[in-house]
Structure formats: structure tokens, C-alpha cells
Amino acid sequence: MKIKIGIVGGTGYTGVELLRLLAKHPQAQLDIITSRGEAGKHVTELFPNLRGHVDLRFSNPDYDALSACDVVFFATPHATAMYSMAKLIEAGTRVIDLSADFRIKDVKLWEQWYNVEHACPELIDMAVYGLAELNRKQIAQAQLVACPGCYPTAMQLGLLPLIEAGVVDTQDLIVDAKSGVSGAGRKASVAGLMGETGESFKAYAASGHRHLPETIESLSRVAQHQVQLTFVPHLVPMVRGMEATIFANLTQQQKNQSLQDLFEQRYKDEPFVDVLPQGSHPETRSVRGVNTCQLAIHQPKNSSKVIVLSVIDNLVKGASGQAIQNMNIMFDLPETTGLDGVGLLP
């Protein structure tokens, strides 16, 4: 039986990535893709790579038609999905939101970081945070799933085993992360021009990035107390890919525990988390185009610190691939369905 799928906001990078992956998903039936700005155009006019794979035209959002779908993906900018969500939820449609509209449970905190009043705070409690490696059982029963951001995905997968085992000081977590320019979306901006980003490397949002409160809230639930996290993102001159270098202080009584074993045991049954052999240094190119997070754990000599290296494709495991992973869980399919690709090299 096919899953009837609608996509709202299909002209950005996460939208085309959803189309690319769903086009080869054996249980997916792409019925609707919306775009007010491109309504009437064939998808392949914008994305020629989909010729012969996707036979759809963009249309204006019609929520009666979308409600007839089994699942609707929102690949819209932040503070957009929340204005339309209630109609679909009332109709009983299952929804996977790739934006930040339902990721943070504290409404006031969300409003502070996104500078707008939330349009439907009454739905926030029902939204399940879509990190499968943490909330798989809740995702299976969910009607509304809020996909994590790309940085939070890379950071949390690197920190979860340490926090769950209680082996690090959760009041002094530090993450130095880097992303390719596709993380900023497909909108036109001077900062995203190749002439601006090429041959350059910079930090941004050092005083506070929107993904920080989302990550702190999620990790605090795991730790069962408020964690403290310093997170500085950087922009690097590549299109896609994300690396997070995570630093934490080991607690005194746990210094001699094998952290490699801890990570391997935590993720041994996770199809999309690959714990590399000890001493490895994962590269973003190894996960390009696939829904995999690669991790490596390091302990500097004569130090009480642990360093975790985490790499993902920000558009796949950090967005659209993770969204499809959630769909597979929601519809009781093998989690790897449609996501069993191999990374692109070179």
C-alpha cells in the first residue's frame, strides 16, 4: 500500500531533497507539492535532476486536498507552518514539519528566539521531537513530528551517550560546529554568494544561534536537569555538509571507562549512526547525500576531556532524510526504506 504524500513549500533545498529521496522510496506516492510563487510550473523546470522521476506541477496550497494525504511534509521557512497546522491536525492528517515551529516546548522561549508570536501554541505539546535515536516510540504514534535542526542533530548524536551514562559535566559542554552554505536555504542573499563565501571561513551567531535553545531543551530532558551549552557555528565554503567538534569534561569517577565501548553499545542497533574505529577523524564527504551520522571519540592524553567528532549531510540526516526516517517509523516501515544509499565520493 502506497503512502499518499503532500509537500508544502517544495522549492527550497530541503524540498528538492525530499523529492529526490521520495522519488525512489518504494512506498511513497507523491501527490501534491505546493508553491505559491511557482504554481503551475512543472517540478522539473526548477529541478532538472528530477526529470523522469517526478511528474508533478507546483500548486497553490489547498488544505482540503492536502488533508486527503496520509502525510504532509512542511519544508517551509520558520514561522510559516504554524499558520496552517491546525487545519491538517483537525482533519486527522499526519504531519512532519522540517521547520522550527514546533521544536521548542517553551512557547515564550520560542517567541524570544524567532521574534514572532506563535500562531498555534495549543499544538506544541502534541508535537514529538523527531530525533529517532531518542524518541522512536513516541514518533511511531505521533500525528505531528517536529524534525530537529541540522546543528542539533549533529550535536545531540555526539552527546547523547555521554549524558545518558552520566560521565560528563553537563554544566560545561562546548560545541564548535561548521556548515556548508546550503544550511542557510535557497533564498538570495549577499552573504551566500560564492564571491562572499569562497576562500573564506567565519564564525557567526556567536552570541546565540536559534538552534541553541532547541538543543539545550532536548538534552536537559535527557539529563533530567538543565544543561549548559556553549555553541558557536561557522560557515565554510562548501555546498553541503556539517561537522561538530564537541568538548566535554569527564567526571572524576569515570575517567577510565572505555568511551569507545559506550558509543558502540549505544548505537549498535541504530541504522544511521556509524561509530568509527578509535582514532578516526570523520569527513563530511563520507556522508554526502546519505542519512548517516558518523562519530569518532577521542581522549587527549593526560586530560580529563573527551572530544567527539560528528559529521552529517545537513540536507539529509540534518533535514529531509531524517524527515523520511520519521515517516518510515510513523507508518511502520523498515527505517531504512528509501534511505539505503551510499555516500558520494569524491
Side-chain angles (χ1 to χ4, degrees):
M1 182 177 175
K2 296 285 189 178
I3 301 169
K4 295 177 62 177
I5 295 170
I7 299 173
V8 178
T11 59
Y13 290 136
T14 56
V16 68
E17 198 71 351
L18 276 171
L19 289 169
R20 180 180 74 86
L21 294 169
L22 288 170
K24 291 301 182 182
H25 192 295
Q27 300 302 120
Q29 177 181 309
L30 285 164
D31 276 10
I32 300 171
I33 183 162
T34 78
S35 169
R36 287 186 172 88
E38 305 295 344
K41 286 186 179 179
H42 200 279
V43 165
T44 57
E45 289 185 60
L46 266 68
F47 305 122
N49 62 312
L50 297 174
R51 285 176 58 84
H53 300 287
V54 176
D55 187 17
L56 282 178
R57 291 185 180 274
F58 293 105
S59 60
N60 285 308
D62 178 340
Y63 288 94
D64 288 334
L66 286 165
S67 295
C69 293
D70 296 311
V71 63
V72 173
F73 293 90
F74 275 83
T76 50
H78 305 314
T80 301
M82 63 181 183
Y83 291 103
S84 308
M85 195 62 65
K87 301 172 187 176
L88 294 173
I89 295 300
E90 186 177 351
T93 306
R94 302 183 88 171
V95 181
I96 300 172
D97 182 17
L98 280 77
S99 81
D101 289 9
F102 297 92
R103 293 175 188 162
I104 298 173
K105 295 298 184 185
D106 185 331
V107 178
K108 293 300 181 185
L109 181 64
W110 184 90
E111 291 175 345
Q112 289 170 15
W113 283 89
Y114 288 88
N115 300 313
V116 64
E117 183 178 352
H118 203 287
C120 55
E122 68 278 5
L123 296 182
I124 290 177
D125 282 344
M126 76 176 294
V128 173
Y129 190 64
L131 189 65
E133 294 77 11
L134 183 61
N135 295 324
R136 183 172 281 105
K137 289 182 180 179
Q138 298 94 313
I139 292 166
Q141 304 301 319
Q143 185 181 357
L144 171 56
V145 170
C147 280
C150 46
Y151 282 122
T153 298
M155 289 191 282
Q156 289 181 81
L157 291 175
L159 282 165
L160 280 178
L162 300 170
I163 293 176
E164 289 171 346
V167 300
V168 292
D169 178 4
T170 58
Q171 301 307 296
D172 188 23
L173 304 172
I174 298 173
V175 180
D176 178 329
K178 304 92 178 168
S179 176
V181 296
S182 60
R186 199 164 180 251
K187 62 184 180 295
S189 69
V190 171
L193 296 174
M194 183 56 70
E196 302 291 325
T197 60
E199 301 299 321
S200 186
F201 172 40
K202 70 173 184 177
Y204 66 100
S207 59
H209 188 281
R210 286 174 170 179
H211 286 174
L212 180 63
E214 169 192 341
T215 308
I216 289 176
E217 186 180 80
S218 179
L219 291 177
S220 295
R221 285 196 294 269
V222 174
Q224 298 183 353
H225 60 256
Q226 187 73 13
V227 306
Q228 298 296 323
L229 171 65
T230 301
F231 160 50
V232 180
H234 299 74
L235 183 67
V236 293
M238 61 184 184
V239 173
R240 62 162 81 200
M242 176 167 288
E243 193 274 350
T245 302
I246 300 162
F247 304 88
N249 295 311
L250 293 166
T251 52
Q252 187 71 26
Q253 65 271 28
Q254 298 290 346
K255 282 185 180 179
N256 296 322
Q257 181 172 347
S258 170
L259 298 180
Q260 182 73 21
D261 288 345
L262 177 68
F263 274 76
E264 289 179 359
Q265 285 300 308
R266 173 59 174 85
Y267 291 125
K268 63 184 175 63
D269 296 321
E270 293 294 346
F272 296 117
V273 181
D274 179 15
V275 180
L276 300 182
Q278 199 158 10
S280 300
H281 292 81
E283 302 177 59
T284 58
R285 68 175 189 156
S286 300
V287 295
R288 187 181 297 132
V290 294
N291 197 53
T292 301
C293 174
Q294 287 191 337
L295 299 171
I297 302 90
H298 292 261
Q299 286 183 261
K301 291 180 180 179
N302 303 316
S303 172
S304 61
K305 289 194 179 296
V306 56
I307 300 170
V308 182
L309 310 178
S310 175
V311 298
I312 62 171
D313 185 321
N314 57 295
L315 295 178
V316 188
K317 184 58 174 167
S320 302
Q322 183 155 240
I324 294 169
Q325 183 181 358
N326 285 324
M327 181 191 78
N328 288 340
I329 295 169
M330 294 166 78
F331 289 88
D332 197 27
L333 296 173
E335 215 158 306
T336 56
T337 306
L339 295 171
D340 53 356
V342 179
L344 302 173
L345 278 179

